[in-house]
Amino acid sequence: MKPAQTTLRGSGWLRKYAGHYQLWIMVLPAVIYIAIFCYGPMYGIQLAFREFDFSKGLTGGDWAGFKYFEQYFNSPMFWPTLRNTFIIAFFSILLGFPMPILLALVVNSIRSNRRKRILQTTVYMPYFISTVVLVALLQIMLSPTTGLLDGFLKALHLIPADTNLVGDPGAFVPVYVLSGIWQACGWNSIIFIAALSSVDGQQYDAARIDGANRWQTVWHVEIPAILPTIIILLIMNMGNILSVGFEKTFLMQNSLNKPVSEVISTYVFNVGVKSNQFSFGSAVGLFNTVINFTFLILANSLAKRTSKISLM
Amino acid sequence: MVAVIGIAAFIMVAYPLYFIIIASVSNSTMVNQGQVILWPKAVNFYGYEQIFKDSRIWQGYMNTIIYTVLGTLLNLLVTLPAAYALSQRKFKARRFIMPMFVITMYFGGGMIPTYLLIRDLNLLNTPWVMIVNGAVSVYNLIITRTFFETSIPEELHEAATLDGCSHFRYFLSVVVPLSKAVISVITLYYMVGHWNDFFNALLYINTDRLQPLQIVLRNILLSNQAFAGGAGSGAGAGAGSYAQQFADQIKYAVIIVSTVPVLIIYPFIQKYFEKGVMIGAVKG
């Protein structure tokens, strides 16, 4: 430790916080941005409890209490939107979370550096495709008349011949979740590959001497090594459990699959922005945020209690 | 076993990408009949020709390039200095600035309050909303800060301070040149974010002239708006339509033309990935 370099002479609080004016200048643009664009909307949350008044702006209307929350809870869209959001989120985590770990274990066990690199480069790539393009690809590939993948699945009798993967409500969640895995699995595996690369080679040697086979090595050496990373990422994902990707859901939505594809965020967009029900939309959005936050805190405290690992 | 999974993963990802390429230069009818599997058939560039005639695509391309270049520049100008300041242990204020930033990763005002804020700031329907909104990603900031903390030795700063070097100068002439890895990575993140940005435009832009590529793509690829043969009218399906059999070929070509710029940059930055990215994220 060396003494703090102070450029302003002061005492106590002022000295402690105002000492580094250059650092303050460097951090200031970010602070201003976050204050306006992140905390500004948070301040605007009160709109969910107010009547929106065009002439008075974001926070000028009369207080309305929980009127708009009650309106949402009593609306026929409450259960469908909540249920759809949960189902999509649940399956995305259940199937989407373990896959990158599996892929990382596979990549890590490839001996040839060249093959490893080719596989990695390839599986990262879909991550750079935009959501619009991904959904367009799905539509072309899954077209019931001309789609390549659709024809392939039908030829193998993996799906019944009359299935329409683009419109069928029953196909929406599987298509959403599996295409999500296709797009992000490689990318999400990077962090586990990085964590695995830090495993000490001696641990592998020790395991081999103890007579461990491949699976035992995975179980006793590799999994423990990446467990902290797994837990942290799981907590972070839990905090976003209901933030089901607005873009992809919105783009995949059509009149046929709407009963299963209308999630909270698309509903907020449709009633809030499109029909100008600003107060109602804010209330629905706030409900979503509060549930997310609750999940984050729950997952975090659970992890803290069971494994002593936590975000905060 | 491992080899099988590895090869399966490779094929599942690589084949669809390869298929788009060969389908974009093949006869559409043969593609739809499932004859184009391994090699392109009846090669022609009709899809690409149509795109080159379509002014909407070029307008969208132009707009996206402008948003991406200016937006990424702003991202870096705001993120890098802030990450540096927050990486300094002596900077006590980071104890409350950091949590203030992190909270925003998990808690926000939501779509409507944000929309109204943008409206009140008079940013609706201006290019600025595409550039300024999202100026800082807290995630990227944390990655960068952690890189500065763990990869740049404290002793360097002490030596520089002894020589009378200010924070500004130290940051510009020592930290930035030593941080190429993490700077490339967050530049890529930010660029891809701007390039693929659809949400901001959907919400905040409704002038045709200002629409970025992704909105144009959505109109062509998903809403099936017909190509207007270069007129760029943006009118719905039916206006100056092209032969239906070429529709898919044009779509494949559009997908390639709009994705290639990002894919070209990616291999150059890839070598920094594991090194740069994860130092940040693992330690949060």
Side-chain angles (χ1 to χ4, degrees), chain B residues 133-154:
Chain B
N133 198 18
V136 181
S137 139
V138 175
Y139 182 79
N140 289 346
L141 181 83
I142 292 177
I143 291 177
T144 318
R145 185 207 60 171
T146 315
F147 184 93
F148 290 162
E149 271 176 10
T150 52
S151 306
I152 309 224
E154 182 87 0

Side-chain angles (χ1 to χ4, degrees), chain A:
Chain A
M1 277 298 280
K2 65 189 223 56
Q5 174 205 354
T6 44
T7 33
L8 280 182
R9 303 254 172 243
S11 59
W13 193 87
L14 190 67
R15 182 183 191 147
K16 205 169 156 195
Y17 290 109
H20 304 283
Y21 81 98
Q22 288 183 325
L23 294 175
W24 268 108
I25 292 174
M26 293 170 96
V27 83
L28 208 57
V31 170
I32 292 172
Y33 172 81
I34 296 279
I36 295 178
F37 285 85
C38 297
Y39 283 88
M42 281 192 220
Y43 180 72
I45 285 178
Q46 49 179 294
L47 186 61
F49 305 96
R50 286 181 187 270
E51 301 289 352
F52 181 71
D53 187 330
F54 262 98
S55 57
K56 290 176 185 157
L58 203 53
T59 53
D62 294 330
W63 288 103
F66 285 90
K67 177 181 154 190
Y68 289 104
F69 290 90
E70 281 167 25
Q71 191 184 325
Y72 176 50
F73 296 148
N74 294 325
S75 82
M77 285 311 287
F78 175 65
W79 278 112
T81 49
L82 189 64
R83 185 197 62 213
N84 295 342
T85 312
F86 256 109
I87 289 177
I88 294 173
F90 176 76
F91 283 103
S92 297
I93 288 197
L94 186 77
L95 295 175
F97 191 76
M99 292 305 261
I101 302 174
L102 182 70
L103 183 64
L105 291 169
V106 168
V107 168
N108 191 54
S109 65
I110 297 176
R111 297 266 173 274
S112 149
N113 268 330
R114 202 172 135 259
R115 283 183 201 162
K116 195 188 257 183
R117 193 127 296 272
I118 291 173
L119 179 61
Q120 280 180 268
T121 309
T122 314
V123 294
Y124 295 168
M125 219 175 277
Y127 188 78
F128 296 98
I129 295 175
S130 74
T131 314
V132 176
V133 166
L134 179 78
V135 174
L137 255 180
L138 285 174
Q139 286 196 355
I140 303 175
M141 296 284 210
L142 299 177
S143 153
T145 47
T146 57
L148 180 86
L149 185 58
D150 190 85
F152 181 71
L153 293 172
K154 280 172 184 164
L156 291 178
H157 297 288
L158 289 170
I159 53 169
D162 57 347
T163 321
N164 175 0
L165 290 170
V166 182
D168 195 334
F172 180 81
V173 175
V175 169
Y176 183 98
V177 172
L178 294 175
S179 63
I181 293 175
W182 181 79
Q183 183 168 36
C185 182
W187 186 259
N188 291 336
S189 72
I190 296 180
I191 187 163
F192 299 111
I193 295 172
L196 280 171
S197 68
S198 65
V199 178
D200 191 344
Q202 293 181 348
Q203 280 193 283
Y204 286 105
D205 296 338
R208 204 176 325 119
I209 290 168
D210 290 343
N213 63 28
R214 181 73 199 118
W215 293 112
Q216 286 165 327
T217 313
V218 168
W219 195 247
H220 295 289
V221 177
E222 296 185 326
I223 298 277
I226 58 175
L227 197 61
T229 313
I230 293 178
I231 293 174
I232 290 281
L233 285 184
L234 195 57
I235 298 171
M236 284 166 63
N237 284 349
M238 292 298 279
N240 286 325
I241 192 152
L242 289 198
S243 306
V244 168
F246 168 82
E247 282 188 23
K248 197 172 156 195
T249 325
F250 176 79
L251 289 165
M252 282 176 69
Q253 201 165 65
N254 57 40
S255 50
L256 291 171
N257 64 28
K258 201 145 184 180
V260 294
S261 68
E262 186 81 316
V263 295
I264 299 178
S265 58
T266 53
Y267 185 58
V268 171
F269 178 76
N270 286 329
V271 296
V273 179
K274 273 190 173 166
S275 343
N276 289 340
Q277 300 183 51
F278 292 133
S279 291
F280 182 66
S282 302
V284 179
L286 180 57
F287 172 73
N288 198 2
T289 308
V290 167
I291 292 196
N292 274 340
F293 209 65
T294 313
F295 269 104
L296 178 70
I297 304 288
L298 275 179
N300 192 53
S301 64
L302 201 69
K304 207 181 220 167
R305 216 168 290 166
T306 52
S307 66
K308 301 197 167 53
I309 297 171
S310 73
L311 274 188
M312 289 161 273

Side-chain angles (χ1 to χ4, degrees), chain B residues 117-140:
Chain B
L117 174 87
I118 299 279
R119 200 192 64 162
D120 291 350
L121 291 172
N122 285 322
L123 289 173
L124 281 190
N125 277 319
T126 64
W128 297 110
V129 71
M130 302 297 291
I131 294 162
V132 175
N133 198 18
V136 181
S137 139
V138 175
Y139 182 79
N140 289 346

